[in-house]
Amino acid sequence: MKSVSLRGLARGFGIGALAGAALVDLAYAAGNDEPGIWPVAAVLLIGAVAVLWPAGHRPSWLTPQVRTVVPAVASGLYTVASVPYPEALFGPGELVILLCLLFVAVRHCSRRWVVMCAALDGAAVLALPVRALRGMPDTMMGFMLIGLVLIGLTVGFAAYLRSMDYRRTVAVSETRRSERLAIAADLHDFVAHHVTGILVQTQVARMMATSRPEDLDSVLAGIEHAATEALASMRRTVGVLRDTGTEQADRRPVGDLAGIAGLTDGFASPIQKVSLLRDATVPDDLPHEVQAAAFRVVQEALTNVRRHAGDATQVTVRLWYEAGRLEVSVADDGRGGSQLPDAAHGGGFGLVGLKERVTALGGDLHAGPLIGHGWEVRAVFPA
């Protein structure tokens, strides 16, 4: 048995109230010989269809403009046609329908149509007292003043909701844009890391082809592994952007403290040794955003070692936890030597983006030379 939602209850109550008000209109019309019940019934039917037609089943031609203009015109024509009949009354049903359509016009009509549609519905509301009270100017003006108040409240509420819709749309667009930029940065970070490793290991393989051919197989295996990881990174990142239907994409977070060990293992080569020193006090249940940022710090630092410190022989990655703060550092003993082509050195924005990521989490990032020679990247995260 399906549970009834509050929204469904409110909709049912609204339909019942509208139906009751429409019956009052029909009762008024049935009490008058002229113009009779049929014009009132036609106006109410047109308005009820425009208000109550379910959104999921509306035809394409039933736009907000059509929904709000046609009933207002029908009501206005009935008001004009009732001029010869001073006893043509108006009831609450037609008033409620016109106010609902005024709400629809202000909230949902396009910019070029909203003023005209709202003006027609508002004019139809103000014309209702004229239909029955034109012989009593003071009473007619009093009802018209009440109509103006109702029009103002309806327009104000609808305009407020329209502004909220606009703000929500802008927020969603900005969120999607930020997510796309973040995904693009992720893709760049992962692929750049692996491709740089492929390039460095290819250079090593060329040097070893003549001097140490017996050790060449391990270098080629490293190239194969880096290429496989680059393809896997692209597949995971692109998988976030598409719906794979019944097939479940690999949504495992790419980047945590456990993944740092894989980074260091994949970075090591016959020329460059990597040591991972993880203090026993570092917990495994740190927030994922902190773990992912720490992973990126190590990844970017190792990538920069390949790009800018190709002569480094020892790289040390340290993780330790103290006083509720996680500290990550990557230090090398290089002197700035690199044989990579200029196109592979990067644009210099990696550390800038990394600092933004770290500071967004309330942390701090420092990168600079060590005493004597070498370079260190250190990040501190509140955990």
Side-chain angles (χ1 to χ4, degrees):
M1 181 177 178
K2 293 184 178 179
S3 60
V4 181
S5 64
L6 292 177
R7 185 172 183 178
L9 287 174
R11 180 177 176 81
F13 177 79
I15 293 175
L18 184 58
L23 289 177
V24 174
D25 285 27
L26 293 175
Y28 285 165
N32 296 327
D33 295 333
E34 297 293 343
I37 194 174
W38 295 111
V40 176
V43 172
L44 292 175
L45 179 62
I46 294 173
V49 168
V51 172
L52 300 178
W53 198 315
H57 301 283
R58 290 180 195 139
S60 58
W61 56 265
L62 194 59
T63 61
Q65 292 80 251
V66 174
R67 292 173 60 202
T68 54
V69 168
V70 173
V73 171
S75 177
L77 290 176
Y78 175 50
T79 299
V80 173
S82 65
V83 170
Y85 312 105
E87 295 183 354
L89 301 177
F90 73 95
E94 189 176 355
L95 174 63
V96 171
I97 287 175
L98 290 174
L99 289 176
C100 290
L101 294 175
L102 176 62
F103 177 88
V104 172
V106 175
R107 186 176 183 185
H108 297 295
C109 284
S110 60
R111 285 186 178 182
R112 58 184 300 184
W113 288 97
V114 61
V115 175
M116 187 191 77
C117 295
L120 284 174
D121 289 312
V125 170
L126 294 178
L128 293 179
V130 179
R131 182 187 303 169
L133 303 172
R134 56 185 178 275
M136 297 178 286
D138 293 340
T139 305
M140 182 184 71
M141 293 301 296
F143 273 91
M144 293 182 71
L145 182 60
I146 294 174
L148 281 174
V149 173
L150 294 176
I151 290 172
L153 292 175
T154 303
V155 170
F157 183 53
Y160 169 76
L161 293 180
R162 185 181 182 119
S163 67
M164 294 296 293
D165 292 340
Y166 174 76
R167 293 177 183 177
R168 188 179 300 110
T169 301
V170 172
V172 169
S173 299
E174 288 298 319
T175 301
R176 287 177 176 173
R177 180 176 178 274
S178 300
E179 287 298 322
R180 291 191 184 103
L181 291 176
I183 290 172
D186 290 348
L187 185 60
H188 169 271
D189 291 345
F190 282 107
V191 175
H193 174 79
H194 295 305
V195 171
T196 304
I198 293 172
L199 181 57
V200 171
Q201 292 184 78
T202 302
Q203 291 180 332
V204 173
R206 292 180 62 185
M207 291 186 295
M208 294 177 63
T210 56
S211 60
R212 296 163 57 188
E214 67 279 1
D215 297 329
L216 191 58
D217 186 67
S218 61
V219 179
L220 294 177
I223 295 175
E224 180 183 11
H225 175 73
T228 303
E229 285 296 314
L231 291 175
S233 296
M234 286 190 290
R235 185 182 68 252
R236 284 192 296 261
T237 306
V238 174
V240 177
L241 299 174
R242 67 182 182 183
D243 183 10
T244 57
T246 57
E247 180 184 356
Q248 293 296 321
D250 183 7
R251 303 302 174 106
R252 179 179 57 84
V254 284
D256 52 18
L257 296 184
I260 293 178
L263 273 181
T264 55
D265 292 341
F267 181 85
S269 68
I271 297 177
Q272 293 178 324
K273 306 298 182 182
V274 182
S275 300
L276 174 59
L277 306 178
R278 175 172 174 170
D279 195 89
T281 59
V282 177
D284 295 324
D285 59 347
L286 293 175
H288 174 65
E289 59 271 17
V290 173
Q291 296 194 47
F295 180 91
R296 297 303 172 81
V297 168
V298 177
Q299 183 184 60
E300 180 67 24
L302 293 179
T303 302
N304 285 339
V305 170
R306 281 175 171 162
R307 288 175 173 171
H308 308 293
D311 59 341
T313 59
Q314 180 65 44
V315 181
T316 303
V317 179
R318 293 189 61 199
L319 302 174
W320 68 97
Y321 186 81
E322 184 178 1
R325 300 173 71 84
L326 173 69
E327 296 191 30
V328 182
S329 73
V330 180
D332 65 81
D333 60 354
R335 300 177 181 270
S338 176
Q339 297 181 359
L340 294 182
D342 293 339
H345 284 175
F349 299 107
L351 287 177
V352 175
L354 198 62
K355 187 173 183 64
E356 292 178 356
R357 181 188 292 268
V358 173
T359 55
L361 296 174
D364 184 49
L365 179 74
H366 170 76
L370 297 173
I371 298 176
H373 59 272
W375 189 272
E376 181 185 44
V377 176
R378 175 178 295 183
V380 181
F381 301 94

